[in-house]
Amino acid sequence: MNKIKIAVQKAGRLNEDSLQLLKECGISIDNGKDQLKASASNFPMEVLYLRNGDIPQYLRDGVVDIAIIGENVLIEKGDDIIIAERLGFSKCRVSIAVPKGVKYKGIKDLDGMRIATSYPNTVKAYFKKFDVTPDIHLINGSVEIAPSIGLADAICDIVSSGSTLFKNNLKEVEKMLTSEAVLAVSPNISEENQQILNKLLFRIQSVLKGRKSKYVLMNAPNDKVESIIKILPGMRSPTVVPLAEAGWSSIHTVVDKDSFWEVVDQLKENGAEGLLVVPIEKMVL
């Protein structure tokens, strides 16, 4: 039986989030301590734990069929590789930072400056748009200390909360791009494994839709139901069920997580009472 090979990061937050996603897709991975390869017990899948920066080449060579990887790594090392799904976690940005004491007026200030980074291709492509040519110093590892030891005037690195920059007396001055985890696909994936990927994508999309939505139940007087329904289109339309108390109904619907509080305010203004909000594990359409 064919197995699809998926690469995930060896360690760290992306590793944890990737395995959690597979778990929510109903896939059980037989992990052992310090294993570099593991199989799923209930899905035709083999997991390879690899260095993040090596994954694009493994995809390109067809060593793995798919990978959960930071989009920033693909932009740097694999911009020819197809993204099958954006996964919505491990969000960050790739930014330029300078020491806090440096007066920064604009991107032209960086012309000729020494920039330490693990993302040389990304830096070159970004600055080319502005006709600015920095002096790029390639560093694999922690780049934040480069200005303090005199190795560089600025850095380019991934930023999440900004706490690492703060600890190293740096300030973010240019946001070059935003990134999140994505599901990337090898250009050499076989037809058989493409079919397995389609099944996996269906599960992933169901999980992601569930994460982005809330199931909302509320009570309302019958004369308010019509105005509430206009606020709540739901998946097709809201479910309306008569209550035992005459003149009242229960309304059930799905609300997008990002607009939830705005919708709740409108519901209250239109007569909804007793709102109950339930998380959705999966949403299969």
Side-chain angles (χ1 to χ4, degrees), residues 243-264:
L243 292 179
E245 183 179 345
W248 283 78
S249 294
S250 176
I251 304 170
H252 301 201
T253 194
V254 173
V255 176
D256 184 84
K257 186 178 178 181
D258 292 336
S259 60
F260 172 74
W261 287 110
E262 181 183 341
V263 171
V264 166

Side-chain angles (χ1 to χ4, degrees), residues 124-232:
K124 287 175 187 175
Y126 181 78
F127 282 95
K128 188 176 181 180
K129 296 184 292 185
F130 301 96
D131 195 28
V132 172
T133 307
D135 180 11
I136 298 173
H137 288 240
L138 178 61
I139 296 179
N140 292 312
S142 299
V143 301
E144 297 87 359
I145 64 168
S148 65
I149 61 175
L151 183 62
D153 305 303
I155 69 163
C156 168
D157 202 11
I158 57 171
V159 179
S160 296
S161 65
S163 60
T164 303
L165 295 182
F166 180 80
K167 290 174 185 175
N168 286 276
N169 203 36
L170 299 170
K171 62 181 179 181
E172 189 176 3
V173 294
E174 292 284 338
K175 184 172 75 173
M176 297 167 55
L177 59 92
T178 56
S179 173
E180 63 183 284
V182 297
L183 184 69
V185 184
S186 168
N188 297 309
I189 189 170
S190 68
E191 187 176 335
E192 293 85 355
N193 283 349
Q194 179 64 52
Q195 292 176 6
I196 298 172
L197 172 58
N198 292 341
K199 292 180 181 179
L200 176 62
L201 276 171
F202 176 76
R203 296 191 186 192
I204 288 175
Q205 288 161 0
S206 297
V207 170
L208 296 181
K209 285 169 186 169
R211 288 181 178 181
K212 293 175 183 175
S213 306
K214 298 286 187 182
Y215 192 75
V216 181
L217 303 85
M218 71 208 79
N219 298 331
N222 287 344
D223 62 353
K224 300 288 187 180
V225 169
E226 188 174 343
S227 61
I228 287 174
I229 286 177
K230 289 179 181 178
I231 302 169
L232 298 172

Side-chain angles (χ1 to χ4, degrees), residues 99-126:
K100 287 180 181 177
V102 172
K103 291 182 179 179
Y104 183 79
K105 297 176 183 176
I107 195 165
K108 293 291 184 181
D109 289 356
L110 297 169
D111 197 19
M113 287 182 68
R114 298 170 300 163
I115 298 181
T117 185
S118 303
Y119 300 94
N121 296 327
T122 303
V123 173
K124 287 175 187 175
Y126 181 78

